[in-house]
Amino acid sequence: MGKLLLERLLTLVLKLFGMAVILFVVTQILPADPAAVAAGTDARPEQIEKIRKDLGLDRPFHERFVTYITGLLRGDLGKSLLTRRAVADDLKLRFPATLELAILSGFVIVICGVSLGIISAVHAGKPADYLIRAAVVVGMGIPPFVLALFLQLIFAKWLDLFPLEGRLHTLMAPPPFRTGLYTIDSLLAGQWDIFWSCLRHLALPVAALSLGRLAVGARFTRSGMLETLGQPFVRTARAKGLRENRVILRHAFRNALIPVVTMLGIQIGFLLSGAVLVEVVFTWPGLGRYAVDSVLSFDFYAVIGAALVIAVIFVLSNTVVDLLYAQLDPRIKHK
Amino acid sequence: MQRLDQRGRKWLAFGKANPGLLAGFVLLLPFLLFALLPDVFASHDPIKTSIRELYTPPNAEHFFGTDELGRDVYSRVVHGARISLASAALIIGIACVIGLVLGTIAGYWGGWSDRVIMTLVDLVLAFPSLILALAVSAALGPGLRSAIIAAAAVWWPVYARLLRGITLQLSEMEFVTAARALGATAPTIIRRHILPNAIYAVIVRISIDLGLAVLLLASLSFIGLGASAPTPEWGAMVAWGRLYFLTEWWIGGFPALAITLVVVAITMLGDGLNDLRTIR
């Protein structure tokens, strides 16, 4: 396990380095002149010149590249044009908001998706199964931002059940900073009203983010369960008189977990992409919205920084899924 | 007449055996018609503004209402079908060609070309697709063309990986060895022996990806990186409609519905085709 972990860590570092290079090259080489784009269409030449200096674009590409990469190794992601602050500091501020959204959505996807999948498989061919399968098809097709808009319209505007947007009631001060996750921080500080407000603000974004992915989870679980339920060892378990619940959860489900975990790895990417869109709709102050804002204002270092952090979350969680794999099924030998 | 009847019955039986495929096709059909003949189905000019008819709710004259400039939302949705479907086809087309070339090279020659290509594939796939597409299209500047290029740029690795796998598998087959022994050159072997055998897997993959491409393009447009005004692109329409969504929901709501229906339809079609293949 230790050796495996070390190997994974090494490839991880190399991979992240490669990804940083790709992002840098893509954003620095493609446009004819990022400074001109950043300055806007009716900027005077001296304005463009100034931005060029600020961005360090007056230096040759390889020099900029070396500066950026060495900065990266020190945790310096450059300066944002928009906020006039270090990108790394901006990201630190935004990161917990996205993390809170993603973690909660992940939980909902796993718990609801897996249970729906099991129900669907156990009742295969019955109305419950058809209902879930139909919901799955629709859930997979509906884009997160469309779902977010309609949830907002129905549950915030028409039914007035949940707040429209934001992370917290505008009149409330955020809880004292410990983790940056408002729900946990407010609990640690014993501020129940803030905790409740956080949960209410999380409800719609989490729903928008997880409903579609949950459908995919249910589908994977269903097919995995159907496969294992037909296996001889399940028949044996039933034959020796185990209760049906135990057969399904202990015997069949455990063995259906492999495809479910595979699914999880894929889901995380979609979850992070979806978070960008959902954050825009709910004006959620997270990484995704930061990335979008910076893209729209041609704030290149901020774009690279945000994209890189999101990519790091993605790669890291995929590595965890990989390791989980080996734990789940000892038959899987790692290359 | 009798032959026609027979053929009809055959199709009916096929549809019954593959309900998902049939439902997907039926759902997609109106949008295909919209895309092919937008002028026949549109009731109004999609970009003509009308100051006297701002924010009209859906009614008999304007089925989906009018938007903030008095444009007919229904006609814009109809015209948007061609943009969305054609752009999605273009994205997948570009991705497919690049992936085809690089994938077969990596699979057939192996060695360092394989290592270089697959490293790049792994790196691109290590990003959540929207995130990298965001960066690429930002670098190219906003616009429908940049969005299409950006989407294709993050998509080709999927096809490269698929084609590499198939090529690796096929190039160990006896008929390829036989062709090589007969003196066929590598391009000939790839063109005559490998690609024809890969075509079905590629088609199934395309049918699944098309829906996702519609989705990615709409997402980029929604963020503000896709089509610019007054192009009736669905994602962009939702983005502008968002500003009025809580009061005049129809402006963004109908294009949003159109995106959802098309993605659902194409997903069902793709799934149906995939099932057909596994049965085969």
Side-chain angles (χ1 to χ4, degrees):
Chain A
M1 194 68 193
K3 196 176 160 230
L4 177 69
L5 211 67
L6 204 72
E7 245 179 63
R8 282 298 147 98
L9 225 59
L10 197 69
T11 42
L12 197 74
V13 171
L14 284 177
K15 195 172 214 174
L16 289 175
F17 178 76
M19 289 164 86
V21 171
I22 284 190
L23 275 176
F24 186 82
V25 170
V26 158
T27 47
Q28 299 281 309
I29 276 195
L30 280 182
D33 188 354
V37 189
T41 40
D42 41 34
R44 289 190 307 277
E46 52 273 27
Q47 275 174 317
I48 297 179
E49 213 38 57
K50 192 183 171 305
I51 291 177
R52 197 191 304 276
K53 271 244 162 63
D54 279 356
L55 282 170
L57 287 175
D58 48 347
R59 291 176 300 140
F61 176 79
H62 64 270
E63 243 176 65
R64 272 183 284 150
F65 181 74
V66 170
T67 315
Y68 186 77
I69 294 295
T70 47
L72 199 65
L73 294 176
R74 283 181 284 117
D76 176 11
L77 294 167
K79 214 176 105 186
S80 158
L81 283 174
L82 190 66
T83 60
R84 304 262 160 207
R85 288 153 37 92
V87 171
D89 291 339
D90 277 348
L91 292 174
K92 254 180 237 152
L93 222 61
R94 301 295 196 114
F95 179 70
T98 299
L99 198 65
E100 192 166 37
L101 190 61
I103 288 178
L104 214 60
S105 304
F107 271 121
V108 173
I109 290 171
V110 171
I111 292 169
C112 299
V114 166
S115 3
L116 280 179
I118 293 178
I119 295 173
S120 189
V122 171
H123 298 278
K126 289 186 203 148
D129 180 33
Y130 283 116
L131 207 70
I132 293 173
R133 279 167 71 189
V136 163
V137 170
V138 177
M140 278 172 63
I142 195 163
F145 62 93
V146 169
L147 197 58
L149 284 170
F150 278 102
L151 286 174
Q152 234 182 7
L153 180 67
I154 297 170
F155 291 99
K157 167 85 176 155
W158 289 348
L159 301 177
D160 199 18
L161 285 173
F162 295 102
L164 190 61
E165 54 184 23
R167 254 184 113 183
L168 199 60
H169 195 281
T170 35
L171 296 178
M172 282 180 180
F177 185 91
R178 295 230 184 112
T179 56
L181 308 177
Y182 281 6
T183 42
I184 292 179
D185 285 356
S186 61
L187 275 182
L188 287 177
Q191 298 166 315
W192 289 99
D193 51 333
I194 293 187
F195 177 70
W196 181 237
S197 172
C198 288
L199 277 191
R200 278 168 44 87
H201 278 83
L202 273 164
L204 292 184
V206 165
L209 200 52
S210 51
L211 280 180
R213 300 291 105 207
L214 179 164
V216 183
R219 200 169 104 140
F220 268 82
T221 313
R222 179 181 182 273
S223 55
M225 279 298 282
L226 278 181
E227 212 165 283
T228 43
L229 279 174
Q231 303 263 326
F233 70 84
V234 172
R235 205 186 319 145
T236 312
R238 282 200 182 117
K240 71 182 185 189
L242 284 185
R243 271 181 298 126
E244 187 64 16
N245 275 345
R246 203 177 156 79
V247 173
I248 288 166
L249 293 178
R250 285 298 298 269
H251 291 241
F253 180 58
R254 261 189 86 129
N255 286 285
L257 263 178
I258 300 289
V260 173
V261 171
T262 317
M263 171 276 292
L264 258 183
I266 306 166
Q267 296 286 60
I268 296 163
F270 280 101
L271 193 72
L272 290 170
S273 291
V276 173
L277 300 164
V278 169
E279 283 179 11
V280 169
V281 174
F282 290 100
T283 53
W284 194 262
L287 289 175
R289 219 168 85 84
Y290 183 75
V292 170
D293 287 346
S294 351
V295 160
L296 294 178
S297 50
F298 304 102
D299 195 349
F300 283 103
Y301 285 119
V303 173
I304 304 177
L308 205 56
V309 172
I310 296 176
V312 168
I313 305 175
F314 183 45
V315 174
L316 273 179
S317 43
N318 268 329
T319 309
V320 171
V321 166
D322 258 13
L323 292 173
L324 209 64
Y325 235 55
Q327 285 295 303
L328 264 179
D329 191 343
R331 282 171 302 183
I332 295 178
K333 286 274 186 296
H334 283 267
K335 282 167 262 166
Chain B
M1 195 62 206
Q2 209 192 348
R3 268 189 59 196
L4 251 176
D5 195 42
Q6 229 173 12
R7 203 177 288 169
R9 214 171 292 156
K10 225 169 153 185
W11 279 107
L12 207 69
F14 179 77
K16 252 188 196 157
N18 306 282
L21 202 64
L22 185 72
F25 183 71
V26 169
L27 256 180
L28 192 62
L29 193 62
F31 293 101
L32 284 177
L33 290 174
F34 289 170
L36 286 174
L37 307 161
D39 294 317
V40 175
F41 290 94
S43 55
H44 294 73
D45 185 332
I47 52 176
K48 201 177 143 237
T49 57
S50 159
I51 301 170
R52 273 171 299 145
E53 294 177 300
L54 308 182
Y55 309 109
T56 329
N59 58 34
E61 163 74 15
H62 300 286
F63 306 134
F64 295 171
T66 61
D67 65 6
E68 75 280 8
L69 294 171
R71 295 173 297 201
D72 183 58
V73 175
Y74 165 72
S75 303
R76 288 175 67 71
V77 169
V78 168
H79 279 270
R82 175 177 283 185
I83 298 175
S84 286
L85 292 177
S87 307
L90 207 58
I91 292 169
I92 300 301
I94 298 171
C96 205
V97 169
I98 300 175
L100 219 75
V101 172
L102 292 183
T104 41
I105 289 177
Y108 193 84
W109 277 282
W112 67 266
S113 64
D114 185 27
R115 241 168 302 165
V116 170
I117 291 171
M118 290 325 281
T119 306
L120 197 59
V121 164
D122 283 342
L123 283 178
V124 174
L125 288 180
F127 286 97
S129 55
L130 181 64
I131 306 300
L132 187 58
L134 200 88
V136 175
S137 87
L140 291 168
L144 189 58
R145 208 177 56 174
S146 318
I148 291 173
I149 296 174
V154 301
W155 221 301
W156 65 267
V158 173
Y159 289 92
R161 188 174 269 183
L162 178 71
L163 259 299
R164 175 183 178 266
I166 295 174
T167 309
L168 268 180
Q169 209 181 358
L170 286 176
S171 50
E172 277 170 19
M173 298 266 205
E174 272 143 16
F175 67 89
V176 173
T177 318
R180 213 175 286 146
L182 286 172
T185 56
T188 314
I189 292 176
I190 290 173
R191 211 179 55 240
R192 295 283 303 274
H193 300 282
I194 291 179
L195 289 186
N197 282 299
I199 206 81
Y200 198 80
V202 173
I203 287 177
V204 168
R205 184 73 221 192
I206 287 176
S207 67
I208 293 169
D209 278 357
L210 269 178
L212 294 173
V214 171
L215 197 63
L216 182 60
L217 188 80
S219 302
L220 285 173
S221 290
F222 177 73
I223 289 170
L225 289 170
S228 50
T231 318
E233 199 277 331
W234 291 340
M237 287 168 74
V238 180
W240 297 319
R242 185 166 85 86
L243 304 173
Y244 320 97
F245 203 81
L246 296 178
T247 42
E248 288 87 23
W249 56 268
W250 56 87
I251 300 176
F254 284 109
L257 229 54
I259 298 170
T260 308
L261 282 178
V262 164
V263 177
V264 169
I266 299 178
T267 310
M268 286 167 89
L269 265 178
D271 273 357
L273 282 179
N274 201 20
D275 287 350
L276 274 189
R277 183 175 72 139
T278 38
I279 290 166
R280 247 185 23 166

